[in-house]
Amino acid sequence: MIIPKSSLIVSCQAPVDSPLFDPKIIAAMAKAAVNQGAKGIRINTPNHVKQVRQELPNIPLIGLWKQDYSGYDIYITPCYHDAVAIAEAGADIIAIDGTLRNRPQGETLADLINNIHQKLGKLVMADVDTIENAIASAQAGADFVGTTLYGYTKETENFQPPGFSLLEEMSQKLTVPIIAEGGISTPEDAKKALNYGAYSVVVGTAITGIDLKVKAFQGMFK
């Protein structure tokens, strides 16, 4: 299943220490999003992907697995065996870290994308932070490239998402579909992203980030 152009993708995730970090609750979030018109869902961890796939068999699903490997900064589906677990859980598209940072087990970005295509038969969304990594991901065969990591890496830590400047440059230099993700907090932001050339838009915290939203509001009462 392919995500339609100019559509909303909702990222349904929760912190691991939150009561919302439960497969059925994540699936409920996803169903609520789809009921209101979302055309795709982005889900973290195999268990959550599996639950959402069972309850929403006909919605495009971007799956990923955030993994911490000692000595490595990379964490979004870092290795092929992480991608295998996400594919087996039912994802249509596997999101990976699309930077050129070192990966565990000596894998390269190109190897990971090729293995996902050839061995798993799945599409790949490469999450990037810079135009250099966006170009590298496209050249390595990524089917979609997202602005997801803008502001979240050492190279971009001084920048604040959403990465509209990166999005605009990507739209000028890439031919693969670009997905705007990260810091999209209003419908106006989403519209702006489309105007800058995004194929589709992912919204997460602004819709499903209850923990972070409450924490931000509560900070005003201290």
Side-chain angles (χ1 to χ4, degrees), residues 1-199:
M1 287 178 279
I2 303 298
I3 295 165
K5 193 175 187 303
S6 301
S7 63
L8 172 65
I9 304 161
V10 176
S11 180
C12 301
Q13 301 183 40
V16 294
D17 58 350
S18 169
L20 300 177
F21 193 79
D22 177 279
K24 288 189 176 296
I25 293 176
I26 295 294
M29 289 184 190
K31 290 174 73 173
V34 170
N35 286 348
Q36 297 305 317
K39 302 302 182 184
I41 299 295
R42 181 169 160 123
I43 303 292
N44 176 40
T45 81
N47 286 342
H48 291 176
V49 169
K50 183 177 180 180
Q51 187 70 41
V52 172
R53 180 83 292 162
Q54 289 175 351
E55 300 194 30
L56 292 170
N58 299 314
I59 193 75
L61 198 163
I62 301 171
L64 63 140
W65 197 358
K66 294 179 180 177
Q67 295 274 62
D68 289 322
Y69 285 90
S70 179
Y72 296 90
D73 292 327
I74 197 165
Y75 67 97
I76 297 178
T77 323
C79 302
Y80 174 67
H81 65 80
D82 302 320
V84 170
I86 293 298
E88 291 177 347
D92 303 296
I93 301 167
I94 298 178
I96 66 169
D97 185 305
T99 71
L100 294 174
R101 294 179 291 183
N102 291 333
R103 297 169 190 274
Q105 303 169 9
E107 288 183 299
T108 66
L109 175 63
D111 288 339
L112 179 57
I113 293 174
N114 184 67
N115 284 333
I116 291 172
H117 283 161
Q118 299 301 320
K119 297 180 181 180
L120 301 179
K122 300 292 184 177
L123 300 176
V124 174
M125 175 179 172
D127 295 339
V128 305
D129 57 342
T130 66
I131 187 61
E132 292 78 15
N133 285 324
I135 292 171
S137 290
Q139 291 176 340
D143 303 284
F144 302 90
V145 180
T147 59
T148 318
L149 293 177
Y150 180 88
Y152 297 100
T153 63
K154 290 180 180 178
E155 291 75 15
T156 63
E157 61 186 0
N158 293 323
F159 301 114
Q160 186 73 24
F164 290 128
S165 59
L166 174 60
L167 174 61
E168 184 175 26
E169 191 172 7
M170 287 167 63
S171 68
Q172 295 169 352
K173 297 183 178 180
L174 302 185
T175 57
V176 299
I178 301 161
I179 296 181
E181 180 175 7
I184 306 294
S185 58
T186 67
E188 290 74 23
D189 283 344
K191 180 64 175 178
K192 186 175 181 179
L194 293 175
N195 290 339
Y196 272 118
Y199 175 87

